[in-house]
Amino acid sequence: MKPHSIGRLATLFILAVAASILLLSGYLWLEMERVAKKIHLREAQSARAEVVEGLAEMERRGKGMARALALWDETRQQLSASEYYALWRDDRVRDAGIVSDQVEAVGLYDKQGRLLAPPRKDRSMLIHLPSQALRGEAVALLQQENGGSHFSLFLPVHADPGGHILLGYVGVKFDFAGELRRAQAYRYADLAHLRVTLAEGGSVNLERAIDHLRFVVHENPDLDTVDKLFEAALLRLVIVILILLFLAAWLLKHLLVRPLTAFSDEIDALREPGGNLPRKPARASPLAVQELENVRRSFNDYQARISELHNNLEQNSRDFHDQARRDALTGAFNRRAFDEDWKTLGEDRRLGRVALLLFDCDHFKAINDTYGHQIGDQVIQTIAGALHTALRAADRLYRLGGDEFATLLPEADAQRAEAVAERCIEQVMEQDFRQYGMNEPATISIGIALSEGDGAQISSRSPGRPKNDLAPAGGGSGDFPEPGAQLTLHELQKRADLAMYTAKRPGSRKLVFYNEDMGGMAALLGNKEISAVFQAIDNPDLIELHYQSVMRLPMAQKEYVEALTRIRCDGELIGPGAIFPIVQARNLDREFDLAVLRALGRDLAEGRLPAGLGVSVNLSAPSIVNNQVVDALLELIHAHPGRKIVAEITETALITQIEIATSNIHRLRETGCLLALDDFGSGYSSLRYLTSMPVDLVKFDISMVRLLNRGDRRQQLMMEEITRLVLTAGYQMVAEGVDSRELLDQVIRLGFSHAQGFYFDRPQAPG
Amino acid sequence: MRVFLFFILGCVGLAARAEPVELTLPNKLVAKAEYRQGDPNQPAVILLHGFLQTHEFPTIHSLLEGLSGSGRTVLSPSLTLGVTHRKQSLACEAIHSHTLKEDGREIDAWVKWLKARHHGPIVLVSHSFGSVEALAYLSAKPDPAITRFIGVSIVEGRIKLTPEQTRARLAELRHAVKIGQPRVVTQPFSFCQKYQATPAGLLSYLEWTPRRIREASARLPLPHLFIMGGNDDRLGTGWVDRLKAHNRVKIIPGANHFMDGEHEFDLLDSVLDEMKAP
């Protein structure tokens, strides 16, 4: 059944009650009419009975009068001697007061029933007595004569009290209507218009006279009054009840319907999919109906709880939204927030340019592995705090990955971006990481990319090309839009990535602006290069080792070659400039070094290197502390006895597990393997590690070697002093990047035992 | 003492034989009377009521009771006055057709009726105008059984006319009677302000003027006594004195015309005393 609204039901109820009251009123009115009819009928019966009583009383009175007349001595006198009967009849009787004035006529009859004297015309009596009277009975008659009705009564007159001596008869005659009216008071019968239905000259015994009378019944004033009072009372009652019903309807509407409707509407509003949850109670004022007040309170409490819940949900939603956009560890915004903000930024056409700064913690993987994740997290938190401090309040810091942060600087030019970046580096450098048990400070590298405009200028401040062997393998900057064009986030981020990877390179400045020369490095972030690295790890045959000679000085005799890694993928050769940033970025050092060792083992097994020619292979810091890598190298050494094997340990600054590294180095040296400390002089290799590492060779970084012919005097003197110190410590020295005779002479002069560089040969595939 | 005596006499009277009697007169009218039979050795008494009254009139009735109580045979008739079985006083305004002569005949009929039952002497006692009717009877041809007459409060039958008017009135009445005029006439008479009667009837009463009454009483051949009330205001001035001139008159001091109250006993005593007189 379809439900109906409370308002409609209330209206129907009120109408039903009103209709019931009207029906009841109508029923009462009809009942009253029936009662009135019954009363009228009873009154008619009473009126008839009353008239009958009146007739009886009239007869009784008439008889009394006639009897008095019959017993009067003068009546007997007239019956005895009627000489003066007329005088007696007309005057004496009335003067004596024996009969009342209402008596129309008096007559005396002799024993035979004859009138003693002729009657007067106006007071006529029957000439002859009715036969009943002659039988000695008292006779009462209703007569209709002369257009009027009369009541006549006849009695015998006796001389003696015993009624034995009949003297004659007496008759009296009355005006019937008048006498009947006078007989008694009539409550019901109205005799004012009494009508006798007898024919003229007709007569009837009085006892049957009632059947020949027509009269009306008095209007019952009491009944009429009661009837009017009842009708008025009924009308007033109906009016009062209707007014009360209207009041009840009004009260019902205001006390019940409206609150319920309001509740219903509010609940419906809550049910609406797009409805907003009310922030305040639906009804603050109390309601008059206790139950509704309870409902209101319950509803308000419920609503308050719902609102509170809603607020909590909103807060939670905001928290979730915030958490979804916040990094739990550092409190910085996460990548989702970064993407959204970038999108918002892109939609805001008022922004002309944006600088994207990518921050990356240097060697965070090594820090994590060395000091544990807890320390790593603290380092990240400290760096994040420092960056927050360095950035303006309005600048957002995003944590894009494990140790990678970013910030967007709207409307920032290169100068401002550089200033912010330098402030960040300085702020990080001011942090005390020793509190975490770290021996070395954590540093960050910053890659900066500008959305438009000043790419040339940025390029002019770039730190220069990286190591010669890390030159971009891919073609120019064709993958990137021209400077001044709007960039997508992806493109800008790629540029910042390239700049940041550049900054992370040994010898590079810690903050690097993207320039179009870095376009060649784009491959290292390309899917193809990444795929090639992973494929090479899985299939070392894809690794193609190029070898560069390491010459024994001063004679410049080729003593061994350094295996330099390339990856042949789909016929394209991918160089180290693209490979190692990916390896480092993906923390694939161990896996990739294992693959390189397998590739070297393949080349050696296949005899691609001349017999007896030594070979050096690079091992990253994570690999030197990894037994699997060391075991692989040892296996290689054992597989090729008599061949000189040199393990060049790169990025020694990242070696935190010195004891393990030292142990492994000892294990390798015990097999005759020589150990070289690679990149000495760069940020990753310093004197501190030289003192810790039991190596045989110290391979000066190309940036150090080039100081000999490109540096100033002070740099050259420091270079000389360092070489002297290393020599004094008993190490053999290898110079990288020797690309001229002059430089060769200088390294020979400084006591370098080995040298390599383009002066001797370029890396090349075996055979 | 007298009250006690009257009470005792009354009780004795009640014990006496009391009987309402009727007498059919020669004119076919029936007259009614109260008859109390007493000591046959004592004179019987006929009590005659006043004008238009009946034997139930209080003064008569008291005497009836007293006399019967004293052992006397008492007959107290009601004159018919032309009404058979009359038992009510006849109103002055009634049509009076009776005559004084007819009254005398009814008295005579009752005397004879009593004589048939009582063989001793009879004393006729009458009250008011009944004494005139008794006097008229006794003056005409009284029955020898009547041995004594006691008239109580006898009146002179005044007609409130001057003597000349009276004479003229009588003449008119005589003429009406003479010519047979039947029309009823009206005349103040005695205590009636409007006495309505036939001319003959009225004339029969009016002819008994005070003088004729005095003269007739003076000529009565039997002992008689008039007992009068000392305070009777219905009598004409000097009537008692004039009556005394030729009759024995006993005045009961303080008594009115009807001898009522305690004077009933004085009247009874007077009557009894008179009846004992020789």
Side-chain angles (χ1 to χ4, degrees):
Chain A
M1 188 178 71
K2 182 182 177 183
H4 297 283
S5 69
I6 182 75
R8 180 174 295 178
L9 290 175
T11 303
L12 287 175
F13 174 73
I14 293 295
L15 289 176
V17 173
S20 300
I21 289 170
L22 290 176
L23 287 174
L24 182 61
S25 301
Y27 171 75
L28 289 176
W29 185 80
L30 289 176
E31 278 298 307
M32 191 62 191
E33 287 295 307
R34 276 199 285 271
V35 169
K37 285 182 179 176
K38 284 185 178 178
I39 290 175
H40 280 304
L41 182 59
R42 289 191 178 181
E43 283 181 340
Q45 294 170 344
S46 299
R48 180 183 174 86
E50 205 171 45
V51 171
V52 170
E53 289 177 4
L55 291 170
E57 175 63 16
M58 183 181 71
E59 184 177 3
R60 188 187 65 78
R61 292 171 60 173
K63 279 184 177 176
M65 205 170 295
R67 188 171 293 109
L69 189 61
L71 293 175
W72 194 26
D73 283 353
E74 293 183 36
T75 302
R76 290 196 300 279
Q77 177 192 28
Q78 295 303 317
L79 289 173
S80 302
S82 59
E83 292 87 350
Y84 297 97
Y85 167 72
L87 176 62
W88 175 85
R89 178 195 65 197
D90 296 338
D91 298 329
R92 174 56 191 157
V93 169
R94 296 186 184 282
D95 293 343
I98 297 299
V99 295
S100 67
D101 295 338
Q102 285 74 38
V103 172
E104 290 182 320
V106 173
L108 296 180
Y109 299 83
D110 61 16
K111 296 178 183 176
Q112 287 72 38
R114 294 187 299 263
L115 196 61
L116 293 185
R120 286 175 52 173
K121 288 186 178 178
D122 56 341
R123 294 179 178 178
S124 62
M125 290 294 293
L126 291 175
I127 301 297
H128 296 283
L129 278 180
S131 57
Q132 292 173 278
L134 291 175
R135 291 194 295 268
E137 301 172 3
V139 175
L141 293 179
L142 169 62
Q143 299 170 277
Q144 184 72 22
E145 60 181 7
N146 299 325
S149 56
H150 308 275
F151 159 53
S152 296
L153 207 146
F154 304 94
L155 285 179
V157 180
H158 295 93
D160 58 325
H164 303 297
I165 305 170
L166 179 66
L167 294 179
Y169 301 90
V170 65
V172 287
K173 182 178 180 182
F174 303 86
D175 170 60
F176 173 75
E179 196 62 16
L180 184 60
R181 291 188 197 105
R182 283 186 293 272
Q184 64 175 23
Y186 295 91
R187 179 181 175 186
Y188 302 104
D190 181 6
L191 302 182
H193 304 93
L194 178 66
R195 188 165 63 87
V196 178
T197 58
L198 286 175
E200 178 66 22
S203 66
V204 66
N205 280 341
L206 195 63
E207 60 188 12
R208 295 199 305 271
I210 186 65
D211 298 330
H212 300 275
L213 300 181
R214 295 293 180 268
F215 53 88
V216 296
V217 178
H218 268 305
E219 291 292 330
N220 189 335
D222 293 338
L223 182 61
D224 292 343
T225 302
V226 169
D227 195 36
K228 288 177 181 175
L229 287 176
F230 176 76
E231 288 183 0
L234 194 61
L235 182 62
R236 284 197 296 273
L237 181 66
V238 169
I239 291 173
V240 168
I241 289 177
L242 288 178
I243 290 172
L244 289 177
L245 277 178
F246 279 118
L247 283 175
W250 185 85
L251 288 174
L252 201 63
K253 180 179 180 183
H254 284 79
L255 298 182
L256 202 63
V257 175
R258 280 192 175 177
L260 283 178
T261 305
F263 287 144
S264 177
D265 292 343
E266 287 159 7
I267 291 171
D268 284 345
L270 293 178
R271 199 177 55 185
E272 288 294 327
N276 293 324
L277 191 67
R279 296 295 181 184
K280 58 182 181 180
R283 285 183 162 270
S285 57
L287 297 175
V289 179
Q290 179 64 45
E291 288 74 10
L292 283 180
E293 173 63 11
N294 294 338
V295 171
R296 182 190 72 82
R297 288 182 180 173
S298 301
F299 184 75
N300 283 349
D301 293 346
Y302 173 75
Q303 193 173 333
R305 286 198 296 274
I306 290 290
S307 181
E308 183 182 356
L309 186 61
H310 184 261
N311 290 335
N312 292 337
L313 285 174
E314 281 192 339
Q315 183 62 41
N316 290 338
S317 178
R318 283 195 297 272
D319 291 345
F320 290 148
H321 182 273
D322 199 47
Q323 288 173 9
R325 286 155 184 78
R326 287 275 186 182
D327 173 53
L329 180 63
T330 61
F333 291 97
N334 59 14
R335 175 167 286 280
R336 173 184 287 186
F338 179 76
D339 294 341
E340 289 176 356
D341 288 353
W342 178 258
K343 183 179 179 183
T344 304
L345 214 55
E347 291 172 349
D348 190 351
R349 301 299 181 187
R350 293 172 302 176
L351 297 174
R353 54 191 171 186
V354 175
L356 172 61
L357 277 65
L358 279 183
F359 308 92
D360 194 274
C361 180
D362 297 331
H363 311 297
F364 179 71
K365 179 70 170 69
I367 293 171
N368 226 5
D369 292 344
T370 303
Y371 298 106
H373 290 291
Q374 187 174 359
I375 299 301
D377 289 345
Q378 290 173 339
V379 168
I380 289 298
Q381 286 174 333
T382 302
I383 289 173
L387 293 178
H388 269 302
T389 305
L391 294 175
R392 297 177 304 177
D395 295 333
R396 287 186 161 192
L397 179 66
Y398 305 94
R399 187 184 180 197
L400 303 181
D403 58 339
E404 190 174 77
F405 294 90
T407 188
L408 287 166
L409 303 177
E411 300 297 333
D413 56 10
Q415 286 76 15
R416 180 165 171 264
E418 184 174 11
V420 172
E422 286 177 345
R423 195 164 61 243
C424 291
I425 291 173
E426 290 171 0
Q427 195 65 38
V428 172
M429 289 179 66
E430 290 177 1
Q431 304 301 312
D432 180 14
F433 291 96
R434 288 175 298 181
Q435 61 178 318
Y436 307 130
M438 293 175 60
N439 297 321
E440 59 284 328
T443 58
I444 59 172
S445 298
I446 303 175
I448 303 173
L450 299 173
S451 62
E452 63 176 14
D454 50 1
Q457 295 173 356
I458 294 171
S459 175
S460 67
R461 285 197 304 265
S462 72
R465 293 180 65 84
K467 293 169 67 173
N468 55 357
D469 56 298
L470 292 177
S477 59
D479 293 342
F480 294 91
E482 292 299 325
Q486 289 289 342
L487 299 176
T488 63
L489 174 62
H490 178 70
E491 292 165 343
L492 192 66
Q493 190 175 356
K494 184 181 288 184
R495 288 187 176 188
D497 277 340
L498 293 174
M500 194 264 290
Y501 285 131
T502 303
K504 287 179 78 73
R505 287 183 175 175
S508 174
R509 191 183 174 199
K510 287 301 178 185
L511 71 92
V512 175
F513 278 87
Y514 170 79
N515 62 66
E516 56 188 16
D517 294 338
M518 296 177 187
M521 296 173 63
L524 68 86
L525 297 176
N527 290 331
K528 185 177 70 177
E529 287 77 7
I530 294 172
S531 176
V533 169
F534 280 99
Q535 290 181 37
I537 290 173
D538 292 337
N539 181 13
D541 288 341
L542 296 178
I543 296 175
E544 184 175 310
L545 294 176
H546 288 203
Y547 300 95
Q548 186 179 33
S549 301
V550 179
M551 310 304 288
R552 180 71 182 184
L553 297 181
M555 297 306 292
Q557 295 172 328
K558 186 176 181 178
E559 185 173 303
Y560 62 93
V561 293
E562 181 182 2
L564 299 173
T565 307
R566 310 287 187 270
I567 297 175
R568 178 69 65 182
C569 184
D570 298 332
E572 185 179 348
L573 193 62
I574 300 172
I579 296 172
F580 287 103
I582 294 172
V583 170
Q584 291 173 3
R586 300 294 189 271
N587 295 318
L588 300 171
D589 302 80
R590 292 182 295 266
E591 294 81 356
F592 194 76
D593 285 350
L594 280 173
V596 170
L597 288 175
R598 291 193 187 98
L600 180 59
R602 178 201 61 202
D603 285 355
L604 291 178
E606 292 177 355
R608 293 184 180 182
L609 292 177
L613 181 62
V615 62
S616 70
V617 63
N618 291 290
L619 292 180
S620 66
S623 296
I624 197 64
V625 295
N626 183 273
N627 289 331
Q628 187 179 3
V629 176
V630 172
D631 291 343
L633 181 57
L634 289 173
E635 185 179 348
L636 181 67
I637 293 170
H638 291 307
H640 303 282
R643 188 182 291 269
K644 182 179 181 179
I645 302 295
V646 178
E648 294 184 10
I649 305 172
T650 64
E651 300 169 343
T652 52
L654 301 180
I655 301 174
T656 54
Q657 296 164 299
I658 298 298
E659 293 179 356
I660 298 175
T662 303
S663 172
N664 287 337
I665 289 171
H666 282 300
R667 287 175 62 196
L668 292 170
R669 293 183 69 187
E670 287 173 358
T671 61
C673 176
L674 296 177
L675 273 299
L677 184 64
D678 198 8
D679 299 330
F680 181 76
S682 71
Y684 299 108
S685 185
S686 64
L687 288 174
R688 174 175 171 269
Y689 298 104
L690 182 60
T691 58
S692 303
M693 295 295 170
V695 297
D696 302 298
L697 298 168
V698 175
K699 196 171 184 178
F700 278 66
D701 187 75
I702 190 171
S703 59
M704 295 285 287
V705 173
R706 287 181 177 176
L707 290 176
L708 293 176
N709 59 351
R710 297 180 185 178
D712 54 20
R713 180 60 187 161
R714 185 183 58 86
Q715 290 174 327
Q716 292 176 354
L717 286 176
M718 284 185 65
M719 185 63 186
E720 290 175 359
E721 289 302 320
I722 291 171
T723 55
R724 186 178 302 115
L725 179 63
V726 173
L727 284 174
T728 303
Y731 296 103
Q732 294 183 37
M733 296 187 296
V734 180
E736 284 186 327
V738 176
D739 54 357
S740 64
R741 180 64 208 187
E742 180 186 1
L743 187 55
L744 176 63
D745 292 342
Q746 287 185 1
V747 298
I748 292 173
R749 182 178 59 82
L750 290 176
F752 279 84
S753 59
H754 295 83
Q756 70 178 114
F758 290 168
Y759 178 74
F760 303 107
D761 58 2
R762 287 179 178 269
Q764 55 187 346
Chain B
M1 178 61 189
R2 285 187 301 181
V3 173
F4 177 74
L5 179 61
F6 185 81
F7 177 76
I8 295 300
L9 292 177
C11 292
V12 173
L14 287 174
R17 186 176 172 187
E19 179 184 9
V21 296
E22 292 180 350
L23 174 63
T24 301
L25 301 172
N27 60 1
K28 307 300 181 186
L29 297 180
V30 176
K32 302 182 73 169
E34 179 74 21
Y35 174 68
R36 302 283 177 88
Q37 187 174 4
D39 185 357
N41 297 317
Q42 296 287 337
V45 179
I46 293 177
L47 287 173
L48 191 60
H49 57 77
F51 191 55
L52 307 182
Q53 301 302 318
T54 67
H55 65 269
E56 292 176 346
F57 191 75
T59 303
I60 299 301
H61 187 71
S62 296
L63 280 174
L64 170 67
E65 296 295 339
L67 293 171
S68 64
S70 65
R72 277 23 177 218
T73 295
V74 183
L75 174 65
S76 179
S78 291
L79 300 178
T80 64
L81 304 178
V83 179
T84 184
H85 293 84
R86 189 176 78 89
K87 54 183 178 293
Q88 301 160 340
S89 297
L90 200 58
C92 296
E93 294 78 8
I95 301 171
H96 297 278
S97 59
H98 53 91
T99 64
L100 186 60
K101 190 176 182 178
E102 290 170 348
D103 296 339
R105 282 199 287 266
E106 286 187 23
I107 295 170
D108 184 64
W110 281 111
V111 171
K112 289 182 170 54
W113 183 87
L114 182 60
K115 283 172 60 179
R117 291 164 180 77
H118 181 80
H119 303 292
I122 296 173
V123 177
L124 182 60
V125 180
S126 60
H127 175 248
S128 189
F129 197 80
S131 297
V132 177
E133 292 167 335
L135 187 62
Y137 164 72
L138 292 173
S139 299
K141 189 172 65 176
D143 192 290
I146 305 297
T147 59
R148 189 176 297 271
F149 169 60
I150 299 173
V152 180
S153 300
I154 184 172
V155 297
E156 68 269 42
R158 292 180 301 169
I159 57 176
K160 297 181 181 178
L161 295 174
T162 61
E164 290 75 17
Q165 290 173 332
T166 301
R167 282 192 291 275
R169 184 62 171 162
L170 288 173
E172 288 175 10
L173 291 173
R174 288 187 188 110
H175 176 71
V177 172
K178 184 178 180 181
I179 64 174
Q181 164 63 16
R183 189 177 61 187
V184 172
V185 296
T186 300
Q187 173 66 45
F189 176 67
S190 187
F191 57 86
C192 293
Q193 297 298 321
K194 182 184 175 183
Y195 184 74
Q196 183 172 251
T198 59
L202 179 60
L203 181 61
S204 67
Y205 293 102
L206 292 184
E207 283 180 333
W208 279 83
T209 61
R211 182 177 179 177
R212 186 178 178 182
I213 294 172
R214 290 197 307 273
E215 291 173 353
S217 62
R219 288 196 300 269
L220 279 180
L222 69 171
H224 64 280
L225 173 69
F226 292 108
I227 301 173
M228 308 297 284
N231 288 339
D232 191 344
D233 56 359
R234 293 179 174 256
L235 303 176
T237 304
W239 168 249
V240 174
D241 294 335
R242 286 192 293 273
L243 196 63
K244 284 181 180 176
H246 303 286
N247 301 287
R248 284 194 303 127
V249 176
K250 182 178 182 179
I251 304 298
I252 297 177
N256 59 14
H257 185 72
F258 302 103
M259 302 288 175
D260 53 3
E262 62 181 3
H263 302 295
E264 292 178 2
F265 308 107
D266 296 331
L267 175 62
L268 178 62
D269 291 343
S270 299
V271 170
L272 289 174
D273 289 345
E274 179 62 19
M275 290 178 67
K276 293 174 184 175

